[in-house]
Amino acid sequence: MVSRNKCMTLLPAGYLFPEVSKRRRTVEEEYPGADIISLGIGNTTEPLTRHITESLTRASAGLGTPAGYSGYGDEQGMSGLRAKIADRVYNGSVAPDEVFVSDGAKCDIGRLQLMFGRSQTIAVQDPSYPVYVDGSVIAGATGTYDIQRQQYRGVTYLRCSPENGFFPELKDAEKTDIIYFSSPNNPTGAAATRQELKGLVEYAKRNKSIIVYDAAYSEYIVEKGLPKSIYEIDGAKDVAIEVSSFSKFIGFTGVRLGWTVIPSKLKYDDGSQVIRDWNRVTTTVFNGASNIAQQGGLAALDDEGLTELRGTVSYYLGNAKIILKGLKAMGVESYGGVNAPYIWARFPGRRSWDIFDEILRKAYVVTTPGSGFGPAGEGFLRFSAFGHRKDVEEAVERLKKIKL
Ligand code: PLP
């Protein structure tokens, strides 16, 4: 018999979203015909725009011709797309060969965890996207789980709450090698200010840490002056990796396309370049993003694509506004929803799963329990703005009727 990887035994019994789906199915079975609306999982719902679908169709038809066929491409991505990301997303502030195209931010986070290995200490915003911790558990970097505190003993949880404006006390991350930080944050919807990110970069420099900065929702930042990339901060190239994605920008959640930037200046304590190891990981366990998806990415970043993309983003932000306004009108303490497609709602004295169940059963609306994103999420719910407008409006009407 093969013995099970001990790290796998340390994971919580179920990943958050399968549990959400299980509870939804139970209600569907109990109340057949119940018209359940999901404001739960952050999955895009609106069709791809014309310009993008045309490029995908052209790329796929091309593969059926001798001239247009291509097999494996460069693992790091098409040179044209690397250059376009460097130019259009980063205004030339990063070099094309520092950009690595991938099949998505989540997959890149997993490969980063593989690269860093088990000897690094980690810190995460609390609450945050579960993959930072769970992937690190699988990689063996978190130590054992403390059931009472609902925390891994080897992880530093940087509390982000309304009380600290959703920006953590950085000195708590003192002995940390890798700091995961996302802005706008999933689930709180908080976007860090320039001053806050400056503090984060300075802290990482002093502490000799590496920041893994997740910019998957950066296109949702609409307030002027808020940074969309960590590289807008002086000195960030010495301390930060940035992962990002086409998923929430243009609806490529199913098409799969993302990227990671590793500055050539970023070094380990022995003076070796992180980018060299990342290149090794990429060429060893990844065979490149789909060539069709990459053509879609090229189209998304030209003038027409960028205009269409802004339309899609503002549609979801319109949904967020409706949810936020509705919750506030009901007297629910709510955050986010302005520079992000998520609204973070607080229910004092209640447990997240209890309020999740109550809303699911009384209003047939699926949300996501805040406790699934970290211990500081207890007592909160996340509402996702990814949905059709009419469903969002209907969900808010139903919530109003059950008096939260
Ligand atoms: N990063 C954050 C913060 C997310 O919330 C998500 C998805 O919900 C991802 C990354 C995943 O991105 P991708 O679809 O590119 O894997």
Side-chain angles (χ1 to χ4, degrees):
M1 291 289 268
V2 175
S3 61
R4 189 175 177 207
N5 177 353
K6 293 258 178 327
C7 301
M8 297 303 296
T9 66
L10 298 175
L11 285 169
Y15 185 62
L16 173 65
F17 295 109
E19 180 62 26
V20 167
S21 307
K22 196 174 115 201
R23 292 191 189 209
R24 176 188 174 141
R25 274 196 308 278
T26 306
V27 171
E28 278 168 342
E29 279 160 22
E30 279 176 34
Y31 305 96
D35 174 23
I36 295 178
I37 298 174
S38 177
L39 302 182
I41 296 176
N43 201 357
T44 48
T45 55
E46 299 313 296
L48 297 178
T49 54
R50 187 190 48 81
H51 183 62
I52 309 276
T53 54
E54 279 175 5
S55 77
L56 294 174
T57 309
R58 241 190 338 270
S60 121
L63 288 174
T65 67
Y69 179 75
S70 61
Y72 291 126
D74 292 339
E75 289 95 338
Q76 300 87 344
M78 289 177 183
S79 56
L81 182 55
R82 300 175 82 189
K84 210 156 187 177
I85 292 170
D87 176 32
R88 306 230 75 175
V89 180
Y90 297 101
N91 294 316
S93 68
V94 305
D97 60 8
E98 294 175 315
V99 178
F100 293 74
V101 177
S102 74
D103 51 351
K106 189 185 202 180
C107 320
D108 269 352
I109 293 163
R111 286 186 284 265
L112 283 168
Q113 289 160 338
L114 174 69
M115 178 179 80
F116 287 129
R118 57 189 312 155
S119 57
Q120 320 288 355
T121 51
I122 70 160
V124 292
Q125 287 159 297
D126 177 19
S128 64
Y129 184 45
V131 179
Y132 311 142
V133 171
D134 289 2
S136 301
V137 175
I138 294 172
T142 58
T144 52
Y145 191 65
D146 180 337
I147 292 177
Q148 215 138 49
R149 296 171 63 218
Q150 299 195 348
Q151 300 186 358
Y152 286 92
R153 293 184 174 87
V155 176
T156 301
Y157 293 80
L158 302 170
R159 192 177 174 83
C160 296
S161 63
E163 286 65 41
N164 62 13
F166 296 103
F167 191 78
E169 196 62 69
L170 291 171
K171 67 172 167 33
D172 294 345
E174 222 165 2
K175 293 187 188 74
T176 301
D177 300 313
I178 313 291
I179 304 173
Y180 290 92
F181 195 96
S182 76
S183 178
N185 173 280
N186 172 13
T188 66
T193 64
R194 191 169 299 277
Q195 206 51 33
E196 287 169 339
L197 289 187
K198 221 168 144 237
L200 178 65
V201 166
E202 277 164 14
Y203 183 82
K205 272 193 174 178
R206 268 201 316 279
N207 208 39
K208 302 195 183 343
S209 312
I210 290 179
I211 302 163
V212 173
Y213 188 82
D214 186 339
Y217 298 96
S218 63
E219 274 306 312
Y220 288 79
I221 295 178
V222 288
E223 280 182 327
K224 292 228 169 0
L226 293 176
K228 289 191 173 186
S229 161
I230 191 73
Y231 302 123
E232 290 181 38
I233 309 300
D234 281 346
K237 282 188 175 179
D238 295 318
V239 289
I241 289 168
E242 182 162 303
V243 293
S244 198
S245 169
F246 285 88
S247 286
K248 313 297 165 101
F249 283 34
I250 51 166
F252 267 21
T253 37
V255 177
R256 308 303 304 145
L257 193 67
W259 71 88
T260 287
V261 178
I262 313 254
S264 49
K265 286 169 83 176
L266 185 66
K267 304 231 171 88
Y268 291 113
D269 61 0
D270 65 358
S272 63
Q273 289 176 295
V274 177
I275 192 172
R276 287 181 70 96
D277 278 4
W278 182 245
N279 197 53
R280 187 76 165 92
V281 169
T282 302
T283 51
T284 304
V285 297
F286 181 54
N287 247 345
S290 143
N291 44 16
I292 299 172
Q294 292 191 72
Q295 290 297 344
L298 277 166
L301 293 175
D302 66 24
D303 289 342
E304 209 172 331
L306 286 169
T307 307
E308 289 183 345
L309 167 164
R310 285 185 192 115
T312 307
V313 165
S314 64
Y315 179 88
Y316 291 126
L317 285 178
N319 286 348
K321 207 172 181 172
I322 293 167
I323 299 168
L324 188 61
K325 193 167 160 221
L327 288 171
K328 286 196 166 165
M330 288 171 240
V332 177
E333 188 184 331
S334 307
Y335 303 90
V338 176
N339 298 298
Y342 298 120
I343 294 93
W344 188 235
R346 189 185 232 171
F347 297 87
R350 305 285 309 271
R351 297 191 73 77
S352 298
W353 277 110
D354 292 345
I355 185 84
F356 167 90
D357 282 332
E358 185 182 330
I359 291 178
L360 175 58
R361 286 173 174 278
K362 287 190 179 162
Y364 296 148
V365 172
V366 178
T367 58
T368 310
S371 54
F373 297 96
E378 187 56 89
F380 287 84
L381 280 188
R382 187 194 75 174
F383 290 81
S384 164
F386 292 111
H388 302 309
R389 179 64 50 86
K390 67 169 185 22
D391 291 338
V392 168
E393 286 169 344
E394 166 68 16
V396 170
E397 284 314 307
R398 289 189 200 170
L399 292 174
K400 279 182 183 159
K401 286 195 190 112
I402 64 166
K403 293 199 177 46
L404 287 171

